[in-house]
Amino acid sequence: MPNTMSQKTAREGLSNPELFEGGVFVTRNGVAELFVQTAAERQLEEADPTDIG
């Protein structure tokens, strides 16, 4: 699974959250503009009391 994708690919893939598992940098003209991850992954990050950073 790629860790970067274009805005167009990201838009087209919004109905498929599996594309964003592990986090994906969304690029515009080759420059990373956004970082997208699934809501489930984000909730796990927020619930992790050992995460200090």
Side-chain angles (χ1 to χ4, degrees), residues 2-7 9-10 13 15 17-18 22-23 29 38 47 52:
N3 60 359
T4 63
M5 67 174 59
S6 69
Q7 278 187 333
T9 303
S15 63
E18 292 84 22
N29 297 324
T38 64
I52 302 176

Side-chain angles (χ1 to χ4, degrees), residues 35-51:
F35 181 76
V36 180
Q37 67 186 132
T38 64
E41 289 173 326
R42 181 65 182 151
Q43 289 173 343
L44 286 175
E45 281 184 3
E46 290 178 343
D48 185 1
T50 63
D51 185 18

Side-chain angles (χ1 to χ4, degrees), residues 3-32:
N3 60 359
T4 63
M5 67 174 59
S6 69
Q7 278 187 333
K8 180 181 178 187
T9 303
R11 267 194 316 271
E12 292 170 351
L14 285 176
S15 63
N16 187 6
E18 292 84 22
L19 289 176
F20 302 96
E21 286 179 353
V24 175
F25 289 97
V26 178
T27 62
R28 179 178 179 192
N29 297 324
V31 177

